[in-house]
DNA sequence: CCACTTTGGCAACAGCGTTGCGTAAGTGCA
DNA sequence: TGCACTTACGCAACGCTGTTGCCAAAGTGG
């Protein structure tokens, strides 16, 4: 292992990922530093960064940065982009990411639709396609649908193949093994090794994750280091957690069960067996047409979560939210404001990027050292 | 930076810790791999591990492991410990950690007591001392008390100084800067740079953290990789989170506010301004003498948390729990059992190691690459 | 016009894990 | 008892990493 030679994605640590951390050898170190610089350049965005600035941020010497960026430039991932203002000496020659150098594909499997996007390294959508889907039709048909969707957005001709394909599916699923669980309403999926099947059929690395996790991966934007939660209100309630910049999935990939927190002991019974779960209360309010009330309830749940995890930002999404975005954003914000323990509550916003974009971001993750 | 030469603690990544990740150079790589092997040997415990086994677990070559362990042996951190059983060839010569090679000191500042321990590398308590403390007497007196406590447990004579000193204090406090916040009941502490002051006075690295974080760091035991929560019931309610093996502190070091989750909308008012917080409900039950009811309420809050974070293990501690441990463990366990969404609920136990031991573990963290 | 600052490349270097190969020390079978 | 085989592990040479020393380029400011 750790024979990564010439490929940027070779970094990350090596070793078996079962259990503890792996050892680091020189190819892994090289890959890590390359990914680190790529990540910094991606975060920096348009104007670009000078080599000296990269050196200061990473703690590497300017000479090392020059060597590494030269390798990245040789691979076409990085290019010079004019000069910056002088600070009393020679002006820095700016470097920027070349977004078109590589691509990633993301696929969102919803219960009744499929959407696929192809994104460049900057996260911009280059191509997209969506169509109907019957998730309940079972693995075989859905696999074919995914393959067809990937073909539709995949670059044709001589262009390089995508770095990887990210697939976002309804939970529960085991992220480590890539195997689906008993999806609510579609128990027939339980135990299907979707990631493995897709990797074989596509011949590409596949990242399979829950839709909420994909959403929060995209929502965070590139290179985010803070903590952020995505709250989804649709058929059910779910949460995606990005803690200290990385998606948190929990010991058994089951983290994010946000809807079954009890908000009202002795409240109405929930399908989970409990009573007074946020999901029951919130969806009941939605069914009654009381969106403001639903938003307040969602806010209470969000406030519990904000207090526990001290997050930077709260993002909302899902079909119910999309119907009346402002009502939900304002309702949640008001509750967070009222329940803030100290200081400012975290800002509340709408998840702008889609789930498919998030899945693509997960597929590109290893390139930037987030895999 | 990154000039670590000959010192094991030099690893970890280097670079400024503000913002993103740092770059890795050769000294940092060396330190990382040394810490990794030390961590594996610590986790392995008594019988020891062979070099070949270390190589298999890390992904490094056997030759690299031999070189690294030779360096560690030269520093006295590792020693050979007999031979293992043969598996068809030459039997492996076992290596084990030398617990006495280094020490760490942990100090627990409670509201009315101070306790200090000295632990060896295996986490075993070598020396301990405790005495009364008036945390409200203010920073100056408490700093003197800490210094005195460290002197009492510190190894005398020619022994090497401790690797570091960990201090656990009531929150809120800012872990990154080492500055205390407005501690509940003792607002005079707000803004006091305890870590900096102690580092100057002691001449040793100091790790300052919330008591709940220290508790969960110890509770996890050495080298844990799963997710674990520690729930504290004392004057208030608090939680320490260890997610994927590392202590999670949140964006502003405020994570773990477990007591102010709303369990009963329109319940009794709480000092935080909300209504029906777990803390109010639970402590009211305690005040009424209804410990079983308090345990059930704690269980409901724990179940919310378990569902959200998918933790492996739940640990209980604090004076209220200590009064009737079995009632709380059984009560929480019963609720988790009833509210388990799928599969087995995580086991519930008592936090056996103390907070001071956890503080010491935080001080030893950098040695094992957990800093 | 010149001193100064800052950027960034070339070449030699120290140090990391890796490769190739030899030796030590067991097991298993005839 | 003898021999083939397996496994563990060290020595020496090596390739590749980031680092250091030095120098050219390209600005600013008096």
């Amino acid at each position: 292992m750790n024979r990564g030679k010439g490929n940027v994605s070779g970094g990350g640590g090596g070793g078996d990922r079962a259990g503890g951390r792996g050892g680091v050898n020189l190819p892994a170190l090289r890959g890590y530093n390359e990914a680190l610089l790529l990540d910094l350049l991606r975060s920096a965005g348009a104007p670009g960064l000078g080599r000296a600035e990269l050196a200061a941020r990473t703690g590497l010497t300017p000479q090392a940065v020059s060597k590494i960026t030269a390798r990245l430039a040789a691979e076409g991932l990085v290019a010079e982009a004019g000069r910056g203002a002088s600070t009393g000496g020679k002006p820095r020659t700016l470097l920027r990411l070349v977004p078109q150098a590589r691509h990633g594909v993301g696929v969102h499997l919803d219960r009744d639709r499929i959407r696929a996007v192809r994104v460049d390294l900057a996260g911009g959508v280059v191509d997209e396609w969506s169509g109907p889907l019957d998730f309940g039709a079972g693995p075989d048909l859905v696999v074919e649908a995914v393959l067809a969707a990937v073909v539709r957005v995949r670059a044709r001709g001589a262009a390089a193949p995508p770095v990887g394909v990210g697939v976002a599916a309804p939970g529960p699923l085991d992220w480590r093994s890539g195997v689906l669980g008993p999806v609510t309403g579609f128990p027939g999926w339980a135990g299907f090794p979707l990631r493995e099947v897709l990797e074989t059929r596509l011949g590409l690395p596949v990242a399979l994750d829950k839709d909420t996790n994909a959403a929060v991966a995209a929502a965070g934007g590139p290179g985010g280091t803070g903590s952020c939660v995505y709250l989804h209100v649709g058929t059910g309630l779910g949460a995606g957690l990005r803690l200290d910049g990385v998606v948190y999935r929990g010991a058994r990939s089951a983290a994010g069960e946000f809807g079954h927190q009890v908000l009202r002991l002795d409240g109405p019974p929930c399908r989970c067996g409990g009573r007074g779960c946020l999901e029951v209360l919130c969806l009941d309010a939605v069914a009654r047409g009381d969106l403001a009330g639903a938003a307040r309830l969602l806010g209470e749940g969000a406030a519990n979560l904000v207090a526990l995890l001290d997050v930077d930002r709260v993002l909302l999404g899902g079909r119910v939210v999309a119907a009346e975005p402002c009502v939900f954003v304002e309702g949640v914000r008001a509750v967070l404001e009222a329940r803030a323990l100290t200081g400012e509550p975290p800002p509340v916003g709408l998840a702008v990027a889609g789930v498919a974009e998030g899945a693509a971001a997960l597929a590109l993750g290893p390139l930037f050292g987030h895999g």
Side-chain angles (χ1 to χ4, degrees), chain A:
Chain A
M1 55 191 70
N2 291 335
R3 304 282 159 71
K5 193 154 184 111
N7 65 330
V8 178
S9 64
D16 53 324
R17 61 178 60 190
R21 311 167 285 168
V24 179
N25 51 18
L26 288 171
L29 178 145
R30 167 190 169 128
Y32 174 84
N33 283 340
E34 287 178 348
L36 179 64
L37 290 189
L38 274 182
D39 200 23
L40 282 174
L41 288 172
R42 177 175 64 157
S43 308
L49 260 57
R51 291 176 176 82
E53 198 164 353
L54 288 170
R57 288 209 201 177
T58 57
L60 297 171
T61 59
Q63 198 51 242
V65 171
S66 281
K67 279 192 178 180
I68 296 167
T69 54
R71 291 199 303 258
L72 293 174
E75 296 192 53
L77 289 161
V78 156
E80 299 199 341
R83 321 192 121 179
S86 166
T87 58
K90 176 176 173 178
R92 49 192 55 172
T93 51
L94 298 174
L95 296 172
R96 64 171 178 79
L97 190 64
V98 179
Q100 304 81 24
R102 301 282 191 282
H103 295 273
V105 170
V107 180
H108 178 197
L109 299 176
D110 208 345
R111 287 178 160 76
D112 54 4
R113 281 200 79 76
I114 182 173
R115 177 161 176 267
V117 297
R118 183 159 61 95
V119 305
D120 60 26
L121 292 183
V125 175
V126 176
D127 203 350
E128 74 178 301
W129 177 82
S130 77
L133 179 78
D134 179 10
F135 193 77
D140 294 347
L141 288 175
V142 171
V143 165
E144 298 304 325
V146 171
L147 296 173
V150 172
V151 167
R152 277 177 195 273
V153 299
R154 194 170 169 168
R156 307 203 220 305
V163 171
V165 175
V167 177
L173 58 79
D174 182 12
W175 174 74
R176 296 183 65 173
S177 64
V179 175
L180 286 178
V183 181
T184 317
F186 308 99
W189 277 90
F192 185 75
L194 183 57
R195 188 180 68 199
E196 193 181 323
V197 169
L198 286 175
E199 275 186 342
T200 315
R201 297 288 299 272
L202 286 165
L204 289 171
V206 172
L208 173 67
D209 214 330
K210 292 204 290 188
D211 42 16
T212 46
N213 288 345
V216 81
T225 55
S227 298
C228 170
V229 298
Y230 167 79
L231 304 181
H232 183 92
V233 187
T235 318
L237 266 70
L241 310 175
R242 215 195 55 220
L243 307 181
D244 289 339
V246 301
V247 175
Y248 175 75
R249 300 178 175 92
R252 290 162 299 193
S253 306
E257 266 304 341
F258 169 68
H260 296 291
Q261 62 172 290
V262 172
L263 270 191
R264 195 191 297 274
L265 291 166
D266 310 319
C270 172
R271 59 186 160 114
C272 75
R275 303 183 70 90
C277 292
L278 171 59
E279 182 169 306
V280 160
L281 301 177
C282 190
L283 294 184
D284 276 4
V286 170
R288 286 197 311 269
D290 179 13
L291 290 189
R296 271 197 304 276
L297 288 162
L298 187 64
E300 293 288 347
N304 287 350
L305 192 151
V306 165
L308 182 68
L309 296 178
D310 184 24
V311 299
D312 275 331
R313 204 154 29 132
V314 176
L315 293 163
L316 308 180
R319 293 183 192 185
V320 173
V321 171
E324 278 290 347
C326 292
V327 172
F328 279 92
V329 169
E330 286 307 320
V332 170
R333 183 177 296 163
V335 178
L336 289 189
E337 191 94 35
R339 289 212 18 220
L341 291 168
T342 55
E344 291 287 303
V348 180
L350 284 174
V352 286
V355 175
E357 285 85 341
L362 289 173
L364 290 176
L367 205 59
F368 300 103
H370 290 284

